[in-house]
Amino acid sequence: MVKIIMNGCNGHMGKTICDIVSKEKNCEIVAGIDIVESNATFPMFTNVNDCDMPADVIIDFSTATAVPSILNYAVSKKIPIVICTTGLSEETIKMIDDAASVIPVFRSANMSIGINIIANLLRKVVKILDDTNFDIEIIEKHHNQKIDAPSGTALLLADSMNETMNKKYEYVYDRSSVRQKREKKELGIHTLRGGTIVGEHSVIFAGNNEVLEFKHSASSKEIFAVGAVKAAQFIADKPCGKYDMQNLMD
């Protein structure tokens, strides 16, 4: 039985994860952390440092500012952690890298299996189309309550291609401030916010007289929660180090 501490348990994603875990036979939520109190079926703590429940793994689906404290707690207790929160600062990312030398750390900007399959495909496609006339653009759409832009998923997809090509591309987020032709080394990333869009991502390869498009649409946040639970089950018994969805799918 995998014992899980849920950080951000009263948020939308936290509640969804708790619901999924309640239906699983081989894992359980043993404690929840959230600044908002609730009548949960498990012990609740508003301060992570007050949590004294033994656990095998922590799932974090909170806010960017809450990640450092839960990360420090995980390191101090030697508990593996799954970080699903996006919009992290460079300082927090450095903390994650340092923590991975002490505990297993699973981090992904998107916990969807489908998105990570597309990321795998993009690594192959970008190599095939290298030095051709194809330009690459990414369009991401989310609901009007999303704070960070561009989305962590858009950057995940861009990074999957850029790292494959030894970081030859320059990310461009806004072309309205300059009047000039598009450079070949550009990789455009565009953000739309509106309504209740759960998440849509399109990667467009635009060439001469033909266009290739890879698209993923999420109709429910549950797909991210399912991925987070799978990640928790995967990492619970792993040695220290950094892990992501590619490790889980291999």
Side-chain angles (χ1 to χ4, degrees):
M1 180 69 70
V2 178
K3 298 180 178 180
I4 301 170
I5 294 175
M6 182 67 228
N7 190 44
C9 62
N10 289 331
H12 180 81
M13 288 305 305
K15 290 179 180 178
T16 304
I17 290 171
C18 291
D19 182 60
I20 289 172
V21 171
S22 70
K23 300 170 186 175
E24 291 278 334
K25 294 181 179 179
N26 64 343
C27 59
E28 64 174 332
I29 304 291
V30 296
I33 314 295
D34 205 296
I35 58 173
V36 179
E37 296 187 42
S38 68
N39 296 320
T41 58
F42 43 77
M44 264 284 304
F45 302 89
T46 56
N47 186 329
V48 64
N49 295 311
D50 294 334
C51 180
D52 56 358
M53 300 297 294
D56 300 307
V57 64
I58 299 168
I59 297 178
D60 170 73
F61 230 128
S62 56
T63 60
T65 56
V67 173
S69 60
I70 193 67
L71 197 58
N72 285 332
Y73 176 85
V75 170
S76 68
K77 299 290 186 179
K78 299 295 189 293
I79 304 175
I81 186 168
V82 177
I83 299 175
C84 310
T85 303
T86 60
L88 304 179
S89 67
E90 290 298 323
E91 291 79 8
T92 302
I93 293 172
K94 175 64 166 56
M95 285 182 65
I96 291 172
D97 293 339
D98 293 341
S101 65
V102 181
I103 59 172
V105 178
F106 190 110
R107 175 176 173 250
S108 177
N110 191 300
M111 306 302 292
S112 158
I113 297 293
I115 277 289
N116 285 279
I117 289 174
I118 289 179
N120 266 341
L121 292 172
L122 292 177
R123 291 184 182 95
K124 298 177 182 179
V125 171
V126 75
K127 290 174 69 175
I128 294 171
L129 297 181
D130 186 33
D131 293 328
T132 66
N133 58 359
F134 283 88
D135 299 317
I136 308 173
E137 299 283 308
I138 296 175
I139 301 173
E140 60 100 344
K141 307 174 186 177
H142 284 87
H143 53 87
N144 57 23
Q145 300 301 301
K146 187 170 178 60
I147 298 173
D148 55 313
S151 68
T153 301
L155 293 174
L156 180 154
L157 297 174
D159 290 345
S160 69
M161 295 182 285
N162 209 15
E163 290 169 6
T164 298
M165 303 309 297
N166 297 316
K167 299 185 177 180
K168 68 181 288 184
Y169 296 109
E170 175 187 353
Y171 299 168
V172 175
Y173 307 100
D174 176 28
R175 295 194 175 95
S176 64
S177 60
V178 295
R179 292 180 59 83
Q180 63 186 35
K181 292 182 179 180
R182 185 190 196 282
E183 299 287 343
K184 281 300 297 181
K185 65 179 181 179
E186 290 183 13
L187 195 163
I189 304 177
H190 313 282
T191 296
L192 283 79
R193 294 286 177 267
T196 59
I197 301 171
V198 174
E200 294 183 13
H201 293 84
S202 298
V203 181
I204 300 167
F205 292 84
N208 289 340
N209 305 313
E210 60 179 333
V211 175
L212 281 70
E213 182 173 359
F214 294 82
K215 183 176 181 179
H216 180 273
S217 296
S219 57
S220 169
K221 291 183 178 182
E222 185 174 331
I223 62 172
F224 311 125
V226 169
V229 175
K230 289 184 180 296
Q233 294 168 329
F234 168 81
I235 201 177
D237 61 353
K238 292 293 185 291
C240 62
K242 291 172 63 177
Y243 301 86
D244 58 24
M245 289 297 286
Q246 300 304 316
N247 299 117
L248 191 153
M249 294 191 302
D250 287 343

